[in-house]
Amino acid sequence: MKNIIFIGGVHGVGKGHICQIIKSNINIVHLTASDVLKWKDISAIDNKLVQDINETQDLLIVNLKKIVDKDKRYLLDGHYCLLNKNGESERVPFKTFEDLNLSKILIVFEDTKIIKQRLEIRDGKDYDLEQIKYFQNMEVEYAKEISRKLNLPLLEIQSSDYNQETLIEFIDENTTRH
C-alpha cells in the first residue's frame, strides 16, 4: 500500500512549516525522518553530518515499518541528499525511496540567502552560501530523477511563494479533509 508521501529539501528550507499547513487541512500523520530514526539517540541533535548514510537509511525503513499503519496516510519529512561524515553532499540511496513505497513526492526549495539566514538564526553559526546552493541543486535534481524513475507525481514548492490550494489538492487525492 502506497500511503506515504515524501517531502524533502535542505535544512532550513521550510519543510516543517509546510507540513504543518498540510496537517491542519488534511487528515494525515506528519513524521520527520529525524524522529523516526530517533536522531537524538544516534547523533548530537545539531549535528547534520551522517556517519553512515546506508546504515541510517536502513534504520529509517526498519523503524517506519514499526510505526506505519496501512489504514493511515503519512507525510514523511526528510532529505533526498544528506551530508556525509566528511561534510560532503551525498544522495540518499535510491533503494531507500524504492523501499519507502511512496505515493507522491514533493521538493521544497528557497532562495539560498533566505535559507542561510534561517539556518544561522536557528543554529547560531555561520553557513557557506555556495555549499547551500550546491546542496539544494543536488536535492532538486535528485527529486526529479526519483520522480522519473519511480513514476511518482512530483510537486516543486518554493517555501516563500506557493499556492496553498494547489499544495493541498496535490496531497489531498484519496485523503480526507478536516
Side-chain angles (χ1 to χ4, degrees), residues 18-171:
I18 290 171
C19 288
Q20 290 310 312
I21 289 169
I22 294 167
K23 193 173 181 314
S24 69
N25 284 279
I26 297 175
N27 185 16
I28 194 164
V29 178
H30 173 220
L31 300 171
T32 68
S34 295
D35 288 344
V36 173
L37 283 166
K38 300 179 181 166
W39 187 251
K40 63 182 180 204
D41 294 342
I42 59 175
S43 182
I45 197 74
D46 63 343
N47 181 14
K48 295 179 182 19
L49 304 183
V50 180
Q51 290 302 310
D52 185 329
I53 290 176
N54 288 324
E55 183 179 301
T56 302
Q57 296 310 296
D58 289 346
L59 180 60
L60 175 71
I61 300 299
V62 166
N63 288 354
L64 265 176
K65 286 180 180 176
K66 294 175 186 174
I67 296 170
V68 171
D69 177 339
K70 66 179 176 61
D71 297 324
K72 294 182 181 177
R73 300 233 327 157
Y74 296 87
L75 183 62
L76 179 60
D77 166 353
H79 303 281
Y80 294 99
C81 302
L82 294 166
L83 295 174
N84 66 23
K85 63 184 174 188
N86 301 319
E88 301 159 334
S89 304
E90 186 176 315
R91 289 176 163 195
V92 167
F94 183 75
K95 183 179 181 335
T96 300
F97 297 100
E98 287 178 308
D99 291 349
L100 284 169
N101 198 25
L102 302 167
S103 62
K104 301 174 184 179
I105 61 175
L106 296 91
I107 180 70
V108 183
F109 65 94
E110 186 52 85
D111 179 290
T112 51
K113 290 176 186 167
I114 293 172
I115 296 170
K116 178 177 168 39
Q117 182 181 33
R118 287 177 184 166
L119 286 172
E120 290 176 353
I121 290 169
R122 183 180 78 188
D123 298 345
K125 61 184 186 180
D126 189 40
Y127 283 89
D128 180 83
L129 188 61
E130 290 306 311
Q131 184 180 29
I132 295 169
K133 283 181 186 177
Y134 178 78
F135 196 23
Q136 178 166 254
N137 288 338
M138 192 175 177
E139 286 242 348
V140 170
E141 290 309 310
Y142 193 35
K144 290 176 183 178
E145 182 180 323
I146 290 165
S147 171
R148 280 191 312 272
K149 286 184 174 179
L150 294 178
N151 196 29
L152 292 171
L154 169 67
L155 181 64
E156 298 178 50
I157 304 167
Q158 183 171 358
S159 67
S160 64
D161 183 27
Y162 65 94
N163 182 308
Q164 186 172 325
E165 191 172 310
T166 301
L167 171 65
I168 299 305
E169 284 176 13
F170 180 80
I171 300 289

